[in-house]
Amino acid sequence: MSAKPKVAFFDFTSCEGCQLTVVDALQTHLGLLDLIEIVEFREAMSEHSDDYQIAFVEGSCTRASDEERLRKIRKQAALVVALGACAHLGGVNAMKNRWPIEEVQTYVYGESGKEYYESYMARPISAVIDVDVSIPGCPIDRLEFVRVVQQLLQGCTPKLPDYSLCVECKLSENACLNKLGKPCLGPITRAGCNALCISYGDGCEGCRGFAPEANLDYMRQILEEQNLPAEIIDAKFTLFNAYALQEMGGDAPLAGNGSPNGSRRRSRKQNWPRSTFASPEEA
């Protein structure tokens, strides 16, 4: 890789908030711009180039036509970085996977919507191409982005924390929200955000994905003990992690899959339990 590698940013289905976070980070870390050459970045410049070594990709793959564009990026880039929850996990876009795509298209775009707006099951970009590094979060943490870029420039492979958010929450001396009766997915969520939401009194929504060896069944039990309805618990589990749970099939701790303490009744993928919460056809 050259001394000043060329970097490009791309967006797929997303709010592009992670790219805005990058813009914010570059304002306070101007030194990065002396180390890299940004050749494409729709949020910040008009120029385009197909000559780059590092590609940051925000957004999930939600259309068949996205796949060719992703493969083109992968073919060009020496390194592909999944930027944010949508690219890393499928993100909130994957919530739609719990309903038939035709129902979702009709609900969002009207009766003729499915004829004019291409859409299919939302997936993380790793479902289509190989990804070298992921920066989790919704949005990403600006300092984690800076750290990842620095590590890549040094030839290092950035490593994600392999422990749950509860570790960072204790280091921040936060009270446990679950013990206070406020739902929080921190026990099953990968650390790395310094428990930002919890420090401000909001429960973790799981935007950084599941921590390795997370005990999802026990997390569900904790939420059930807070008297949350099953559909609300399912909604919390699937807000950012619907695709990961979909891949788990019958092992996903969702209400339609049976009791966490009993044997799962459904087979993998084919019997992905359909949501009964806020169904488009009931709206």
Side-chain angles (χ1 to χ4, degrees):
M1 187 175 297
S2 66
K4 196 170 182 179
K6 296 179 180 178
V7 174
F9 291 83
F10 300 97
D11 44 83
F12 287 77
T13 303
S14 66
C15 70
E16 302 186 19
C18 293
Q19 291 177 85
L20 291 176
T21 302
V22 171
V23 173
D24 183 40
L26 292 176
Q27 292 185 77
T28 53
H29 294 78
L30 291 172
L32 281 182
L33 297 176
D34 293 330
L35 302 174
I36 61 175
E37 179 184 358
I38 299 177
V39 299
E40 180 156 345
F41 193 175
R42 192 168 69 90
E43 291 288 345
M45 57 194 285
S46 300
E47 294 79 3
H48 300 275
S49 175
D50 291 327
D51 181 17
Y52 50 86
Q53 289 82 50
I54 303 176
F56 288 88
V57 180
E58 180 181 7
S60 53
C61 179
T62 63
R63 302 176 298 181
S65 59
D66 289 340
E67 296 185 17
E68 181 179 356
R69 184 171 171 231
L70 279 168
R71 292 191 179 100
K72 181 181 178 182
I73 293 170
R74 176 70 272 185
K75 185 177 181 181
Q76 169 61 32
L79 294 171
V80 172
V81 182
L83 191 68
C86 292
H88 175 218
L89 305 171
V92 295
N93 300 312
M95 283 193 295
K96 72 177 183 180
N97 298 352
R98 301 191 67 203
W99 293 281
I101 187 62
E102 294 80 9
E103 287 186 17
V104 175
Q105 287 176 295
T106 300
Y107 177 73
V108 175
Y109 301 117
E111 288 298 329
S112 301
K114 57 186 176 184
E115 300 176 16
Y116 298 106
Y117 297 98
E118 178 190 7
S119 185
Y120 70 1
M121 182 179 72
R123 295 178 294 167
I125 63 171
S126 60
V128 180
I129 61 172
D130 290 335
V131 172
D132 301 290
V133 178
S134 294
I135 304 178
C138 180
I140 60 168
D141 182 275
R142 57 201 297 274
L143 296 180
E144 187 172 32
F145 167 78
V146 173
R147 185 168 61 251
V148 166
V149 172
Q150 292 171 333
Q151 291 173 327
L152 291 176
L153 294 178
Q154 293 169 354
C156 302
T157 301
K159 302 293 185 184
L160 295 176
D162 59 358
Y163 46 86
S164 80
L165 193 59
C166 291
V167 175
E168 293 179 342
C169 211
K170 289 185 179 297
L171 290 172
S172 299
E173 299 184 352
N174 292 325
C176 177
L177 294 183
N178 281 312
K179 288 186 176 179
L180 296 175
K182 191 168 184 177
C184 176
L185 298 185
I188 59 172
T189 300
R190 186 187 295 275
C193 62
N194 291 319
L196 180 63
C197 294
I198 303 166
S199 297
Y200 282 93
D202 290 325
C204 173
E205 301 284 3
C207 72
R208 291 183 61 86
F210 295 138
E213 302 182 3
N215 191 333
L216 304 184
D217 285 339
Y218 188 58
M219 184 73 249
R220 188 174 186 95
Q221 182 179 327
I222 290 173
L223 298 178
E224 288 173 344
E225 290 172 355
Q226 295 177 27
N227 297 317
L228 290 179
E231 62 269 26
I232 296 295
I233 297 175
D234 285 356
K236 288 187 172 297
F237 268 100
T238 56
L239 178 59
F240 285 100
N241 294 288
Y243 182 79
L245 293 165
Q246 184 176 355
E247 288 294 287
M248 292 173 63
D251 290 329
L254 298 176
N257 272 342
S259 168
N261 297 321
S263 60
R264 300 296 186 192
R265 296 193 297 268
R266 293 176 180 271
S267 61
R268 183 177 174 82
K269 290 187 180 179
Q270 290 84 357
N271 288 321
W272 167 242
R274 182 178 175 179
S275 172
T276 58
F277 180 65
S279 171
E281 64 183 1
E282 298 170 357

